[in-house]
Amino acid sequence: VQLQASGGGLVQAGGSLRLSCTASGNIYNIQTMAWYRQAPGKRRDLVATLSNDGTADYVGAVKGRFTISGDGARTTLTLQMTSLKPEDTAVYYCSADVREARTFTRYLGQGTQVTVSS
């Protein structure tokens, strides 16, 4: 599976951004897709997940501000971000958990930079 994220940029605090991730390859075995982020000097953290049944889940820091969605065909994953805060500044990555034989493999796309100025 190949993942290509886009949509990052520079925005003022309180603003909005919409990230997109395009998946290609073995998309039919994708089980869960997610967004992660990594701030400078910090570890990569989970932001939101979207299961195959459409269930979305969020970490507390973004709940109510971010919305994860997909196109139903597992080809596009979106993260709508509103009320952005400087602490949301990070490189954002999309991921896909793919069932391969008897195991699951997590694929991670290249990141897209989100910078929120105060």
Side-chain angles (χ1 to χ4, degrees):
V1 171
Q2 295 79 44
L3 302 168
Q4 181 79 29
S6 62
L10 173 64
V11 64
Q12 288 187 335
S16 300
L17 275 177
R18 184 181 181 89
L19 305 183
S20 293
C21 175
T22 301
S24 60
N26 187 20
I27 63 172
Y28 302 104
N29 287 332
I30 291 177
Q31 302 300 300
T32 299
M33 299 187 78
W35 287 97
Y36 288 79
R37 67 185 179 185
Q38 186 168 18
K42 296 187 177 181
R43 68 179 186 186
R44 186 179 300 137
D45 289 326
L46 180 66
V47 175
T49 61
L50 184 66
S51 301
N52 252 354
D53 64 1
T55 301
D57 200 8
Y58 305 89
V59 297
V62 308
K63 197 170 291 187
R65 300 188 297 121
F66 291 10
T67 302
I68 188 172
S69 62
D71 64 351
R74 288 162 285 185
T75 59
T76 304
L77 182 72
T78 299
L79 186 69
Q80 178 68 48
M81 306 185 294
T82 63
S83 302
L84 283 162
K85 305 174 181 180
E87 50 264 44
D88 295 319
T89 295
V91 178
Y92 284 71
Y93 301 87
C94 60
S95 76
D97 290 347
V98 182
R99 183 166 57 190
E100 297 178 338
R102 297 182 179 183
T103 65
F104 286 87
T105 301
R106 177 161 296 164
Y107 291 84
L108 198 69
Q110 99 294 348
T112 185
Q113 176 70 48
V114 172
T115 303
V116 184
S117 63
S118 57

